[in-house]
Amino acid sequence: MSAPAIETSGLTKRFRSGQVAVDGVDLAVPHGAVYGFLGPNGSGKTTTIRMLLGLVSPTAGSARLLGQPMPGDALEVLPRVGALVEGPAFHPYLSGRANLARLDACDSTASRSSSPRRIGEALERVGLTAAARKPYRQYSLGMKQRLGLAAALLRPRDLLVLDEPTNGLDPQGTREVRHLIRELAAEGATVLVSSHLLAEIEQVCTHIGIMSQGRLLAQSERAALVADDAATLVVTTGLDHVTTAAEVLRGLGLEPITAEGTHLSASLGATAPSQVAAALVHAGVAVDGLEVRRRSLEQLFVELTGEGFDVAR
């Protein structure tokens, strides 16, 4: 098996004040994944990203991008990496197009002859073609964020690291960024998306890592984190059938069972809901309702941290 696109071991950042912003993080982002780096503001996501890109030195631990150590091999690996880090900075008096041209000219590995075409394509992909000649200082927050995305897309990248890419965007812009991320992944890029918005992560990511207070609490494929073994089955029946229904569920190994009036709840595990329904009917239970409640990312986060979370913009 090839090495992950992003791999860290014990990555730690302790500031002079004594604050530990990142505490022993072991990231593993597979090639081709859209990895949602999830956590509330202040959880250590941006500091982790800055260490990955060589912008901040770790106190301890190591990081590798595309199989190469960072920051030791930064000159070799960073041309293959596109990044949008919190608060992209541009020259306020230059237009969006001129800013991108200036950035592209600084890249010694980029072709000068293809620069105008690549800049035009990047602006088009983020919806800034009409505003390309407008001075950056006149851009809205959402337009500035789009220009930061365009800068990350000036060349084909093997890895894209996007820190809060929908910050400042309206709902339409947010949908466009989601579509763009899916496109980039379909083209073969690995994408790490940092966000504090559960809804955004849930819709676009194949893998998820959950951060809180500088620690990585869980990481896995998205489907595995909210797998069926964490689902709850809720059966609704008549009061005179509650006891029989409980016996049926217990016989199928669905425990523990809780009963509230005419509603019985049990952990579903690997049992198919259709199997439960058939067993209840066979036992003569009148099934008024059968519902499978699957654990959401929000529920998982609360279970892991005991904290609330932003579920929408």
Side-chain angles (χ1 to χ4, degrees):
M1 294 179 66
S2 62
I6 298 176
E7 185 177 20
T8 69
S9 177
L11 196 64
T12 301
K13 181 61 181 178
R14 185 189 305 273
F15 293 111
R16 291 181 180 178
S17 64
Q19 176 194 0
V20 179
V22 178
D23 189 2
V25 166
D26 297 331
L27 281 177
V29 180
H31 283 279
V34 178
Y35 186 101
F37 199 30
L38 182 63
N41 291 326
S43 61
K45 303 188 305 297
T46 297
T47 302
T48 300
I49 286 173
R50 290 183 181 277
M51 287 191 286
L52 290 176
L53 298 173
L55 301 173
V56 173
S57 298
T59 306
S62 62
R64 300 178 72 88
L65 295 187
L66 301 174
Q68 297 176 268
M70 287 292 292
D73 287 355
L75 291 178
E76 184 176 349
V77 72
L78 287 183
R80 301 167 60 197
V81 179
L84 170 64
V85 186
E86 192 176 67
F90 294 97
H91 295 284
Y93 54 88
L94 293 179
S95 68
R97 183 182 295 276
N99 265 295
L100 293 185
R102 193 175 182 90
L103 280 175
D104 197 58
C106 294
D107 186 351
S108 61
T109 64
S111 167
R112 300 281 76 83
S113 61
S114 64
S115 182
R117 174 184 57 79
R118 289 185 290 103
I119 290 171
E121 289 174 351
L123 288 166
E124 184 177 359
R125 291 195 84 168
V126 301
L128 277 181
T129 301
R133 299 185 182 279
K134 192 174 183 179
Y136 179 75
R137 64 174 177 268
Q138 296 179 14
Y139 277 18
S140 66
L141 176 60
M143 293 169 70
K144 291 176 179 178
Q145 196 75 355
R146 288 172 183 266
L147 191 64
L149 280 169
L153 300 173
L154 282 172
R155 295 179 55 194
R157 310 288 187 177
D158 296 321
L159 172 65
L160 285 151
V161 179
L162 308 178
D163 187 17
E164 301 283 357
T166 60
N167 184 38
L169 298 182
D170 58 19
Q172 176 60 30
T174 298
R175 285 192 293 271
E176 290 171 358
V177 169
R178 283 202 303 265
H179 180 70
L180 176 59
I181 289 171
R182 293 190 185 103
E183 277 188 347
L184 294 167
E187 292 168 6
T190 303
V191 186
L192 182 142
V193 186
S194 166
S195 180
H196 67 285
L197 299 172
L198 276 163
E200 298 308 312
I201 294 296
E202 204 157 12
Q203 291 185 58
V204 76
C205 294
T206 61
H207 295 69
I208 288 173
I210 296 177
M211 287 282 290
S212 178
Q213 299 180 359
R215 295 188 176 187
L216 183 67
L217 302 181
Q219 71 174 337
S220 181
E221 292 186 34
R222 179 175 61 84
L225 285 175
V226 290
D228 283 346
D229 59 3
T232 299
L233 181 78
V234 180
V235 176
T236 304
T237 186
L239 277 174
D240 52 342
H241 290 164
V242 168
T243 301
T244 304
E247 291 173 355
V248 171
L249 296 180
R250 195 171 292 111
L252 292 170
L254 307 187
E255 294 187 285
I257 299 168
T258 59
E260 294 183 12
T262 59
H263 302 284
L264 294 96
S265 301
S267 177
L268 181 60
T271 307
S274 58
Q275 181 183 350
V276 178
L280 289 168
V281 171
H282 182 74
V285 175
V287 180
D288 297 326
L290 192 148
E291 178 186 2
V292 177
R293 296 177 181 172
R294 304 189 188 280
R295 182 170 61 181
S296 67
L297 277 179
E298 181 185 11
Q299 290 171 321
L300 174 62
F301 185 86
V302 172
E303 288 172 16
L304 289 172
T305 69
E307 299 179 28
F309 207 88
D310 294 333
V311 294
R313 186 167 297 278

